[in-house]
Amino acid sequence: HGICRCHGRQHYSLVHLTTMASADTSYSPKVQKRTLKGHRQPVLCISHPGDHAKYSSITDAHLQHHPSLLLSGSEDGTARLWDLRTRKAAYCIVAPVIENEPNDVTAVAFHPSIIEDRQSSDESADTTISTSRLDCMVYASSGTNVYGYDLRTCTSGPIIKTPHLDLSSSFQCLDEINQLSFSFPKRNKDGCRNYQLAAVDDCGEVHIPSECIPQSIVSQQSPISSKHTVLHHAEPGSHTIASSAVFRPRVNGMYVASGGTDCMVKLFDVTKPKRATSSIHVKPAESENTTQLCNPPFIHSLQWSPSGRLLAAGVGDGSCVILRGEGNRLVEIGRLGYDEGGHGSAVAAVCFPGFGSSALTTKPTNSVEAEDRLLISAGNDSKILFWDLGGNMVDGDALDPLRYLGGCSDVNTQAKEKDNELKDTTEAMKSATISSKKSKSKNKKKGKTNNQHKAASTDDDLFMNDLLPSPPKVLFQIPHHHKPNWITCSRASSDALPSSVFVADTTNDISIYSLPTS
């Protein structure tokens, strides 16, 4: 792999990027692009510590891992832990070579262990993490195998060739693994969290070991049992590949959503694994784009919104399907396609970035529900789209993304004015509803005809429709010029670490697009 030489070549290259604004908005931030070089073959997967943290009300500063870390896996058979402060790879992990099995690193993940903030009540709110902190537990898959690496106990130098944990017998995957996903457990009586890890493979199955995944080799006193749960996304006898599987956050119980080449999105209750509690068949998008019509709606990527209410699916026909979780059911509520300004070819990855929690510098929000409107998608048309899902699709307290996306103060002011208008509109709707009810009550007393009542009801409905919030739209797009394999995001933790989008594509490099901080 040329590892030693590679390790010395890690660096950023800085270029300027011009984004394209959509027709109905003047928001066009100055996005800064950096390139992280070092892998010898295309990067297949990436992970950031904030991938798990955005589903909690805590900030990145409480994570055990520093927000400047990035983990990547490549076709070159290595996983690399990048320190974005020094602009170099802190560790190069070489996957074990097994006969007759591919050596690609196809999935990576940080263990989402969290520091107990026992001093928060006694000390000031200074949550700065030591700049020397690189201690973390990471997991990587290669072929059908899953390995754990405790970097806190690593004394072998920057190149690691032997895994600290081999969890392959606990997962028992029969084909290449496509994604690793950690669960969202609540604290037990001891105040700890017992995390489960799911691996989804080309056999159309999701494998989950029965025992919790250790957050360090010190905490693992005995070998992990081979007992595990299998969720069958693929129907018996089919050749379906399960591309993605993700645990649902912020719910009672343990649910996993899966998607694959059968054009199905399924929801499973892990405690009742025999059959899915809900199945959605994604039909081809109705579009004038001939490219979309030719591509089947395979499910390439899944991600839950920060609140756990919405599930976004990146689809092979170029659209993004938005589903809402209702208990143990999924309901399709919208589609972002070519006709809405979307992609012209398959959507390879989707991501809810969770930028708002840290980017609202004047008054940061602790509500994860506020993050549900901003979605990022990456397509094989080499475009990265920033979507506002809009008030029609997203209920609750979700904020207009323009309120916290930096780099355009005039637009932020306009967004705040729109919020005020929306509040006035809501009050008007309430007043109109009350007036309508009073009017209908008076009409009944005066003995008006049924036709007159229907006419009054129709007028009310038209009035309400005129006051509805705006539908989903593309805020802006980034021309990436390469087909993406994976995207992930990090929310701003300092001026030196702004909100960023990380893109792994068909090249050997990782692209980093950083948004302005204000």
Side-chain angles (χ1 to χ4, degrees):
H1 300 295
I3 298 164
C4 294
R5 192 179 110 181
C6 245
H7 179 73
R9 292 180 64 250
Q10 326 293 343
H11 66 279
Y12 281 113
S13 61
L14 182 63
V15 299
H16 293 287
L17 177 72
T18 302
T19 61
M20 298 176 61
S22 61
D24 59 346
T25 179
S26 60
Y27 181 61
S28 182
K30 295 181 179 179
V31 178
Q32 190 179 53
K33 180 184 178 183
R34 295 179 174 89
T35 304
L36 197 58
K37 297 180 179 291
H39 280 291
R40 306 301 291 177
Q41 292 185 41
V43 181
L44 301 175
C45 53
I46 46 181
S47 178
H48 186 270
D51 292 350
H52 205 272
K54 65 187 174 187
Y55 296 102
S56 174
S57 58
I58 64 171
T59 63
D60 277 350
H62 294 84
L63 277 177
Q64 182 170 342
H65 320 306
H66 196 285
S68 69
L69 298 184
L70 185 73
L71 187 63
S72 61
S74 168
E75 288 182 6
D76 63 11
T78 68
R80 296 169 190 257
L81 181 70
W82 304 89
D83 186 347
L84 303 182
R85 301 163 301 179
T86 61
R87 303 178 182 180
K88 293 181 180 180
Y91 291 102
C92 178
I93 299 169
V94 183
V97 178
I98 299 177
E99 188 177 359
N100 299 324
E101 286 203 21
N103 195 39
D104 305 355
V105 177
T106 55
V108 292
F110 287 91
H111 193 289
S113 50
I114 297 172
I115 292 178
E116 299 297 331
D117 193 16
R118 297 190 180 100
Q119 299 178 344
S120 60
S121 59
D122 300 326
E123 298 181 1
S124 63
D126 183 8
T127 55
T128 303
I129 293 180
S130 169
T131 56
S132 64
R133 184 178 294 279
L134 287 173
D135 53 345
C136 54
M137 185 80 180
V138 300
Y139 291 86
S141 68
S142 178
T144 61
N145 306 293
V146 180
Y147 305 107
Y149 300 86
D150 191 345
L151 304 183
R152 289 163 292 192
T153 61
C154 184
T155 58
S156 60
I159 301 174
I160 304 172
K161 295 184 178 181
T162 304
H164 298 115
L165 291 173
D166 185 347
L167 305 178
S168 306
S169 60
S170 300
F171 284 90
Q172 300 183 27
C173 293
L174 301 177
D175 210 332
E176 188 172 72
I177 295 169
N178 294 315
Q179 186 176 8
L180 297 174
S181 174
F182 272 98
S183 64
F184 300 87
K186 295 182 179 180
R187 296 186 189 277
N188 57 26
K189 294 180 180 179
D190 298 328
C192 301
R193 302 176 194 267
N194 295 324
Y195 291 96
Q196 306 295 125
L197 180 62
V200 59
D201 64 19
D202 280 354
C203 277
E205 297 176 342
V206 183
H207 296 255
I208 307 172
S210 299
E211 295 186 20
C212 64
I213 299 300
Q215 64 183 31
S216 68
I217 58 173
V218 175
S219 63
Q220 181 58 27
Q221 302 297 331
S222 60
I224 295 181
S225 170
S226 60
K227 294 181 180 180
H228 70 298
T229 299
V230 180
L231 309 177
H232 297 277
H233 176 89
E235 294 297 325
S238 72
H239 298 285
T240 295
I241 293 173
S243 309
S244 181
V246 285
F247 281 96
R248 185 180 181 185
R250 303 178 66 80
V251 291
N252 294 323
M254 192 182 300
Y255 291 89
V256 171
S258 63
T261 56
D262 55 357
C263 309
M264 299 288 291
V265 178
K266 297 184 178 182
L267 185 66
F268 290 89
D269 182 345
V270 178
T271 63
K272 302 174 183 178
K274 288 187 177 181
R275 60 179 60 87
T277 62
S278 183
S279 299
I280 300 292
H281 180 250
V282 178
K283 299 178 181 179
E286 296 180 0
S287 173
E288 297 179 358
N289 183 16
T290 55
T291 304
Q292 284 185 298
L293 295 175
C294 296
N295 293 331
F298 295 159
I299 310 301
H300 294 305
S301 175
L302 293 172
Q303 189 163 106
W304 290 98
S305 68
S307 71
R309 297 174 180 172
L310 303 180
L311 179 66
V315 183
D317 64 5
S319 65
C320 297
V321 174
I322 308 299
L323 305 112
R324 183 173 62 240
E326 297 181 352
N328 61 359
R329 296 175 59 249
L330 292 174
V331 178
E332 184 176 342
I333 61 171
R335 197 152 187 168
L336 314 175
Y338 182 81
D339 296 340
E340 288 74 35
H343 294 282
S345 56
V347 177
V350 290
C351 180
F352 285 94
F355 286 159
S357 295
S358 57
L360 285 173
T361 54
T362 55
K363 189 179 180 182
T365 177
N366 290 323
S367 171
V368 292
E369 289 82 1
E371 310 287 345
D372 279 5
R373 279 181 59 169
L374 182 61
L375 176 69
I376 301 175
S377 61
N380 287 348
D381 56 2
S382 303
K383 294 178 182 178
I384 301 170
L385 302 183
F386 285 64
W387 295 87
D388 175 10
L389 297 185
N392 289 6
M393 190 177 294
V394 183
D395 298 327
D397 301 323
L399 291 178
D400 184 335
L402 292 181
R403 286 205 57 184
Y404 53 78
L405 287 174
C408 193
S409 58
D410 291 339
V411 173
N412 291 339
T413 301
Q414 293 172 12
K416 291 178 182 179
E417 291 176 353
K418 287 182 179 179
D419 279 353
N420 292 331
E421 291 176 3
L422 184 58
K423 289 179 181 179
D424 294 339
T425 299
T426 303
E427 293 300 323
M429 291 170 70
K430 290 180 180 178
S431 299
T433 303
I434 294 171
S435 298
S436 176
K437 288 180 179 179
K438 289 181 177 178
S439 176
K440 288 179 181 179
S441 178
K442 290 180 180 179
N443 288 340
K444 285 183 179 180
K445 291 179 180 179
K446 293 179 180 179
K448 285 200 172 184
T449 65
N450 289 334
N451 289 336
Q452 289 173 314
H453 289 311
K454 288 181 181 178
S457 178
T458 301
D459 291 340
D460 292 339
D461 292 339
L462 291 173
F463 177 70
M464 297 287 278
N465 289 335
D466 289 339
L467 297 177
L468 284 175
S470 59
K473 63 182 178 181
V474 176
L475 294 174
F476 64 99
Q477 64 177 264
I478 298 175
H480 181 64
H481 308 299
H482 299 285
K483 292 182 178 180
N485 290 325
W486 205 289
I487 62 171
T488 190
C489 301
S490 67
R491 58 191 181 191
S493 59
S494 67
D495 291 337
L497 296 170
S499 295
S500 301
V501 181
F502 303 90
V503 185
D505 55 38
T506 52
T507 70
N508 303 344
D509 305 332
I510 300 170
S511 298
I512 307 172
Y513 296 101
S514 297
L515 288 135
T517 55
S518 60

